[in-house]
DNA sequence: GTAAGCTATGACGTTACGTGAGGGTCAACA
DNA sequence: TGTTGACCCTCACGTAACGTCATAGCTTAC
């Protein structure tokens, strides 16, 4: 019994073009050809295709598959062994990447800038290190040294659930403040939320002195990454929040 | 402060060509150009490059990265969310593939053909199903119905350690028999190992009647996948084993 | 005999760069 | 001042694994 391209394609779940391609590169040559030039595949061809798809699915390149199928089991074993190590590494990296994505998501939602360290997890650290250092110093000037270090230390422990809790609280505070913007930054309800905000930072990130808190307020206006994010809740919220935080600091310094 | 291509490349750990490419496609356009046509990058360019590498590392295509960087945080979030799902699926598939590779390795070592089911874990089952059925029927004719089903059921429970134990035992038996080939298939020491072999099959795969055992011996000679594998231990072992198994069956049938 | 559905062979498109080729630029060193 | 050597530029083709037409012949059922 012989099969033509489309039949084989449907049987194996690949495209006709793929079979043409495999023929072109000599990976799967049909057993015979009809008088009119049609490719005719046999059961043996199907079996080989099966094998090809198997190794391909394991992530081997077509040339790799070709080699493997040409060589005895002994070489297959070596190929599979080294390949397995590759796969395991790949998975480890995937795990880190997924974690990073999750944190990035959380940080976007909460308007909290993720620690630089996390931003580069899974990257080629050696190559990137020099720039990283520079960036780090810049951050230190802007945000204050204590903050960066403390955040790095604390947040490294957090899991997804922690981030989600923090986000929920942050969002709640932003919303309440946004809803009372017309009452001005000194509004008691606003000031109450601002106090909660400072507490949240102290609890989850670093000890937030009034000096730092004031600087943080400035940051919300000066750094567009923050501004954009905060203003997503309500237009002008970042600027308003900054005023409210300054008012708060005035009242809480002895 | 401005940087030239090589500096940026070294800083970020990418190739000069990559920067050229990013320029070509408008993903990272240097802030200015020197009189002699040199690309001049600024700190801002570096920061953007950082972002590009970040999203690229998360598996986005360059056009995807471009979109993300052009749109506000809101879209970033959506993109990341759907992307995360992709990554999780990818990891799940990787897990299955790794498992399959491990089993394939074990089966190669032991010369034991892995259950078809495992061979196709992680594949596009629907597309492949029809052929699979055909293959399965063929197998049933050859190996006997009971055997296929029993193997499928039992081996599905095995972990890596189990396979390794089985392999170790198999190898030991093959080696001992191989070492006594010159004494002929009826040699008592050979027959002792053959008995162990039958016991191993009964213990780990299916109840191995003398009929099946004899058929299995034939299979070792008729199916080159087995022949090749067994002869790797010693040239002609497959054929010798078949004889020894037949002798054994003669003596153990009432 | 004709239309639907399949087949064939080009051949260019895609992604993210790698890898020269051929030829200017810049800074230091003799 | 000339000359290295390290760096820069712009083509432009190569890679992997096919996708996607375009153009044209084959098969088969009605």
């Amino acid at each position: 019994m012989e099969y033509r391209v489309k039949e084989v394609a449907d049987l194996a779940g690949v495209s006709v073009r793929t079979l043409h391609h495999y023929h072109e590169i000599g990976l799967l040559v049909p057993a015979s050809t009809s008088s009119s030039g049609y490719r005719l595949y046999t059961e043996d061809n199907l079996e080989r295709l099966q094998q090809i798809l198997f190794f391909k699915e394991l992530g081997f390149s077509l040339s790799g598959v070709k080699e493997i199928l040409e060589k005895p089991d002994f070489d297959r074993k070596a190929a599979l062994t080294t390949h397995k190590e590759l796969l395991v590494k790949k998975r480890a990296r995937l795990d880190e990447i997924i974690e990073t994505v999750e944190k990035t998501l959380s940080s976007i939602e909460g308007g909290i800038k993720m620690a630089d360290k996390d931003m580069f997890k899974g990257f080629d650290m050696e190559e990137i290190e020099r720039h990283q250092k520079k960036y780090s110093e810049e951050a230190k000037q802007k945000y204050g040294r204590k903050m960066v270090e403390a955040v790095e230390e604390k947040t490294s422990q957090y899991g997804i659930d922690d981030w989600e809790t923090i986000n929920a609280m942050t969002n709640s505070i932003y919303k309440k403040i946004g809803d009372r913007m017309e009452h001005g930054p000194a509004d008691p309800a606003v000031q109450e939320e601002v106090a909660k905000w400072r507490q949240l930072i102290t609890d989850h990130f670093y000890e937030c002195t009034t000096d730092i808190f004031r600087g943080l307020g400035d940051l919300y206006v000066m750094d567009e990454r923050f501004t954009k994010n905060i203003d997503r809740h309500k237009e002008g919220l970042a600027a308003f929040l900054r005023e409210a935080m300054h008012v708060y600091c005035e009242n809480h310094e002895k």
Side-chain angles (χ1 to χ4, degrees), chain A:
Chain A
M1 185 58 184
E2 287 166 330
Y3 306 85
R4 298 193 295 197
V5 263
K6 181 116 198 293
E7 296 173 309
V8 175
D10 289 347
L11 238 46
V14 301
S15 73
V16 170
R17 178 67 176 97
T18 298
L19 294 175
H20 284 179
H21 184 58
Y22 290 175
H23 187 179
E24 271 174 32
I25 63 176
L27 181 56
L28 181 67
V29 180
S32 59
T33 310
S34 80
S35 59
S36 51
Y38 284 20
R39 292 171 179 80
L40 298 175
Y41 295 86
T42 63
E43 301 283 352
D44 283 354
N45 286 148
L46 281 180
E47 204 168 310
R48 183 173 169 99
L49 177 54
Q50 208 66 270
Q51 300 234 50
I52 291 170
L53 293 179
F54 177 69
F55 287 107
K56 221 198 75 174
E57 201 62 22
L58 299 187
F60 285 93
S61 68
L62 293 189
S63 58
V65 172
K66 207 172 166 187
E67 268 188 48
I68 290 174
L69 292 185
E70 274 162 7
K71 289 179 183 173
D73 283 358
F74 203 70
D75 289 32
R76 268 188 187 65
K77 192 187 157 187
L80 280 167
T81 306
T82 62
H83 195 65
K84 184 188 145 189
E85 284 165 24
L86 255 171
L87 290 174
V88 170
K89 277 185 193 165
K90 205 168 158 185
R91 181 176 55 183
R93 258 182 47 104
L94 240 182
D95 283 340
E96 287 210 331
I97 288 173
I98 288 174
E99 208 187 316
T100 308
V101 171
E102 277 166 355
K103 285 201 180 173
T104 308
L105 266 172
S106 298
S107 95
I108 283 179
E109 281 182 357
I112 296 158
K113 197 190 168 305
M114 199 169 52
D116 293 341
K117 215 174 149 194
D118 293 332
M119 281 284 285
F120 294 96
K121 250 187 196 164
F123 274 42
D124 188 345
M125 285 307 280
E126 270 186 41
E127 298 282 349
I128 236 164
E129 208 177 33
R130 270 164 298 174
H131 178 59
Q132 196 52 7
K133 270 183 196 148
K134 221 168 354 100
Y135 186 79
S136 189
E137 272 164 36
E138 196 185 291
K140 279 174 191 167
Q141 286 176 4
K142 264 199 205 159
Y143 309 175
R145 209 180 148 204
K146 277 183 200 164
M147 183 170 154
V148 171
E149 284 171 4
V151 169
E152 260 187 42
E153 201 190 313
K154 276 208 178 178
T155 56
S156 66
Q157 312 288 345
Y158 291 178
I160 312 167
D161 289 346
D162 298 313
W163 285 105
E164 275 175 5
T165 308
I166 292 168
N167 286 334
M169 295 197 294
T170 308
N171 287 330
S172 158
I173 292 170
Y174 283 175
K175 189 179 181 327
K176 282 184 186 156
I177 294 179
D179 287 347
R180 293 192 69 83
M181 271 173 63
E182 71 269 27
H183 297 86
D187 177 65
V190 168
Q191 288 296 310
E192 199 182 315
E193 294 304 316
V194 170
K196 277 192 202 167
W197 180 227
R198 181 183 170 194
Q199 193 56 47
L200 189 152
I201 293 169
T202 301
D203 289 348
H204 296 94
F205 298 98
Y206 48 87
E207 210 202 308
C208 189
T209 66
T210 47
D211 277 344
I212 293 179
F213 200 47
R214 204 193 310 267
L216 192 59
D218 291 340
L219 194 61
Y220 290 169
V221 174
M222 294 184 327
D223 189 320
E224 64 165 4
R225 286 170 299 192
F226 285 84
T227 315
K228 270 182 172 176
N229 232 314
I230 296 170
D231 278 3
R232 246 190 32 240
H233 289 81
K234 186 156 188 176
E235 189 70 34
L237 179 59
F240 181 80
L241 195 55
R242 187 239 177 208
E243 295 311 314
M245 285 163 80
H246 276 230
V247 169
Y248 172 92
C249 291
E250 292 284 290
N251 295 333
H252 289 78
E253 280 164 342
K254 45 180 181 322

